[in-house]
Amino acid sequence: GAVVSQHPSRVICKSGTSVKIECRSLDFQATTMFWYRQFPKQSLMLMATSNEGSKATYEQGVEKDKFLINHASLTLSTLTVTSAHPEDSSFYICSARDIQTLNQPQHFGDGTRLSIL
Amino acid sequence: EDKVVQSPLSLVVHEGDTVTLNCSYEVTNFRSLLWYKQEKKAPTFLFMLTSSGIEKKSGRLSSILDKKELFSILNITATQTGDSAIYLCAVATDKLIFGTGTRLQVFP
């Protein structure tokens, strides 16, 4: 079945560091990828919708300058958490939608657990 | 504003019990309703529902959608400890809107 690869799975770094997370669709093309954030014991919150070749659409309350999204190809989207601080520590998950099956379930990556010290 | 609400938030049962998880929604441009199971990593897909009244079944799990009442349920019969997880309901519009989740704990 369709696979989404997310990398890295775990990041621990110092405050002020910028962290890049990659999301790749391995065996399908995805014009749209989604980035979610999940706090402990809470549900997934959509942060932004990443569109190939155009600017990402951010949800209300999400700082676009803080969370930079780039979707340069049909198989890769990146999320960069700039100048990360402890409050940015969270579980970040991406998902991708197959261009051929827009009404089918999205495929999720395994997530990135980000810890800022 | 689009909204998806799940209940209960948390459920603790013994092995062998049957549980019903609820999901209600208010969205514009409804396409489908999906159920996911999340353990330690990302959610894994369970069901996608688009039509009212048609039950989807997979082993001990089943789900049904009521588009008139804007409601779906997920049933798990003869629960096992391996069913312990967070169950997420999501509604697809032009994006996927997740509910609050139900944390299920099954004890032996």
Side-chain angles (χ1 to χ4, degrees):
Chain A
V3 176
V4 173
S5 172
Q6 190 172 337
H7 179 80
S9 59
R10 187 83 161 95
V11 180
I12 302 172
C13 57
K14 292 181 180 178
S15 187
T17 308
S18 290
V19 178
K20 181 187 277 191
I21 303 170
E22 291 188 349
C23 182
R24 292 181 186 273
S25 57
L26 294 186
D27 55 357
F28 66 98
Q29 293 185 322
T31 51
T32 305
M33 291 186 176
F34 302 88
W35 288 96
Y36 297 86
R37 183 173 181 175
Q38 186 176 33
F39 290 105
K41 298 186 180 181
Q42 294 189 24
S43 189
L44 278 71
M45 278 180 39
L46 180 65
M47 297 174 65
T49 302
S50 169
N51 301 297
E52 188 265 335
S54 65
K55 288 184 181 179
T57 305
Y58 289 82
E59 295 299 302
Q60 195 172 9
V62 177
E63 298 175 59
K64 61 176 83 171
D65 294 331
K66 175 75 172 175
F67 298 99
L68 298 178
I69 290 173
N70 184 280
H71 192 159
S73 77
L74 283 171
T75 57
L76 174 65
S77 175
T78 60
L79 168 68
T80 301
V81 184
T82 60
S83 187
H85 292 285
E87 59 267 26
D88 299 323
S89 299
S90 191
F91 190 53
Y92 293 86
I93 308 175
C94 72
S95 72
R97 196 157 60 192
D98 190 333
I99 191 174
Q100 299 293 333
T101 55
L102 289 177
N103 291 322
Q104 293 300 313
Q106 293 176 19
H107 309 287
F108 285 88
D110 279 341
T112 298
R113 194 163 297 282
L114 176 62
S115 300
I116 308 298
L117 306 176
Chain B
E1 186 186 338
D2 293 340
K3 191 166 58 174
V4 179
V5 178
Q6 291 182 246
S7 64
L9 290 180
S10 181
L11 200 50
V12 179
V13 301
H14 288 291
E15 269 193 322
D17 288 350
T18 293
V19 297
T20 298
L21 310 183
N22 305 297
C23 177
S24 63
Y25 61 92
E26 287 180 41
V27 302
T28 53
N29 195 24
F30 174 93
R31 287 185 183 168
S32 60
L33 185 143
L34 301 97
W35 284 96
Y36 290 88
K37 177 182 181 181
Q38 185 179 27
E39 297 172 271
K40 291 183 180 176
K41 291 190 174 180
T44 53
F45 170 74
L46 295 175
F47 298 110
M48 186 170 82
L49 304 159
T50 54
S51 302
S52 271
I54 299 173
E55 185 184 55
K56 293 220 171 174
K57 201 168 168 63
S58 175
R60 295 176 295 102
L61 277 67
S62 63
S63 184
I64 197 162
L65 173 67
D66 184 337
K67 288 170 76 173
K68 185 179 175 185
E69 298 296 326
L70 309 183
F71 191 83
S72 174
I73 59 172
L74 174 69
N75 277 320
I76 308 175
T77 58
T79 51
Q80 301 171 357
T81 54
D83 295 328
S84 297
I86 297 173
Y87 290 84
L88 296 165
C89 168
V91 173
T93 58
D94 56 343
K95 51 193 176 185
L96 203 55
I97 304 158
F98 280 86
T100 43
T102 294
R103 179 178 290 274
L104 174 65
Q105 293 176 276
V106 182
F107 287 98

